[in-house]
Amino acid sequence: MPDTPADRVAAATPVRVARKIKGLSDRAIAWIFVAPTIFLLLAINIFPLIWTINLSFTNFKANSPNREIKNVGLRNYERILTDSDIWLNMQATAHFLFWTIFFQVLIGFTLAYLINKKFKGNDLWTTIIVLPMMLSPAVVGNFWKFLYQPQIGLFNYIVAFFTGKEPSSFEMLGSVDLAPWSIVIVDTWMWTPFVMLICLAGLRSIPDYIYEAAEVDRASKLRQFFTITIPMVLPFLMLAVLFRGIENFKMFDLVVQLTGGGPGSTTELTSINLKREAFEKWRTGYASAYAIILFVTVFGLASIYVKALNKVKER
Amino acid sequence: MSSFSVTEPSKRSKWFAGTMVVIYALVTMVPLAWIMLTGFKSPADAISYPPKVVFEPTLEGYVNLFTTRTRQTQEFLDANPPQTWYEEIVREYDMVIAGPSKFGERFLNSVIIGFGSTFLSIFLGTLAAYAFSRFKIPLADDLLFFILSTRMMPPIAVAIPIFLMYRQLGLSDTHLGMILLYTAVNISLAVWLLKGFIDEIPREYEEAALIDGYTRFQAFYKVVLPQAATGIASTAIFCLIFAWNEYAFAVLLTSGTAQTAPPFIPTIIGVGGLDWPAVAAGATIFLLPVMIFTILLRKHLLRGITFGAVRK
């Protein structure tokens, strides 16, 4: 071992000092501090996940535990992937995801852009805009059901007031065409603030000197917007889309309270359908396979997306 | 920043931006304001058409929320005059108060489970975050990613085995079971946010304490913890808001003893369908703490949300 002055200094650093002091070594403390978290996650996330995988190959029913459990191989998976109703639920979910993210990004970014103009009192108004995302989706969904009532609801009254239609002529929750949109509206109301906040963080991370340099180069405001603002905010925007995508893919509470999947199965998103299979029809094995398919889908899409996101960040 | 900076928006664009944002904020407020108004309406006013903005306020919804009532004969009503203002309200419908409703209990469950799981997530999360921030842990990045990835799991995907597991262990429909579950969901957020906050505290403080003869533990709770207090508080608010609002696990895993308010509020039934003023009263009482938190702690909350995004 070379014994340079630098080594001697390193040897005297407090980490070493700490080790000499009575008590546990740093390594032991590190493990004691991290272990409970890891243990809890293994017990309540990973172990159940492995159990789900196991169940997905069986015909187990949780409401009749005495029935003989048979290994059915991949039959559950086969049945789900060839079930046309489930494909309809997947399509409904995809539509829901597309439109909620579309509106939330559009409105959220616009709001962030406006708030970033630093007008007087923007702090107060930002807080008011943020309120809906802090509330309970189930309670909010339940109350929006009241707002959507065709005869007595405020929503129908206001829309009727501006369009001149009869308020009872459009049932937001009762009609096959409108029910999916009723969810999109509430979800957008609730979660646009989230996208807005992340975009705001992005906008505030752009240093002023870039714009000043562009100004010296006499780039137009529009040009600055498209060559500086958009590319610099894009990673943040993509991150917001990732979070919203994952959250909305497992969206459950809001929809259960608003439409409960109906009318018919027009708003039966995959998570609602899954709940029905698992906790109403009690087809536990089948539902487990369904859950695994959904999980793999989210994880797969998210990984591909994160790769794309990292590419954007590198630029 | 100089007042001549080219990045400073013009007065006109500020005015335009301000107007647009205020309009959006006011529109956003309408549903919330409507919930609160409806809580003070009589059932007839709540379902009148056109919707009433001006009405005679009553506490009927709140009385209905907190009590159960039974119909009584005229003789009984005449023989027993109402004792309190809330008995008078139900008396108008020829009813008497039979007892408390389950709302109080459910609300208390929300408080116990919310605060219990928040405390546990913060306790475990702070320890883990400190370890990740200060010590060399093998595969630290992988572990951190593993912790984060548990948040991607749809609740229903793990709900089935958790349901079976809890039934075996006797944890289903118990406060402890729900506290552990919400802690497991919240801990990823807690570790990530807290690690960010602890990373910002200079190491020199603890090193000085160690040289002064403190042990690691002492340095941790006498030096680092007080420094991280603000970060811990804002992380705690996030955990509390999540546990307070959670619905999917609550509806699947609880049925009585440990049921929180979100699955309960939508089921408040009155005479002939949902009692909307009572539902609105319940929603108001339930949403109000979070709204007050958000307004009081807006700086920390807004920072917390964007913090995670900026870090990665």
Side-chain angles (χ1 to χ4, degrees), chain A residues 191-213:
Chain A
W191 292 107
T192 297
F194 179 79
V195 179
M196 177 196 87
L197 282 177
I198 301 217
C199 288
L200 199 56
L203 286 170
R204 290 195 173 148
S205 74
I206 307 175
D208 283 348
Y209 68 80
I210 299 188
Y211 287 109
E212 279 154 15

Side-chain angles (χ1 to χ4, degrees), chain A residues 44, chain B residues 113 162 166 170-183 253 258:
Chain A
I44 295 194
Chain B
I113 293 169
I162 287 178
Y166 271 22
L171 281 172
S172 59
D173 208 9
T174 62
H175 292 105
L176 180 65
M178 295 311 282
I179 288 174
L180 287 176
L181 185 59
Y182 288 168
T183 304
L253 300 177

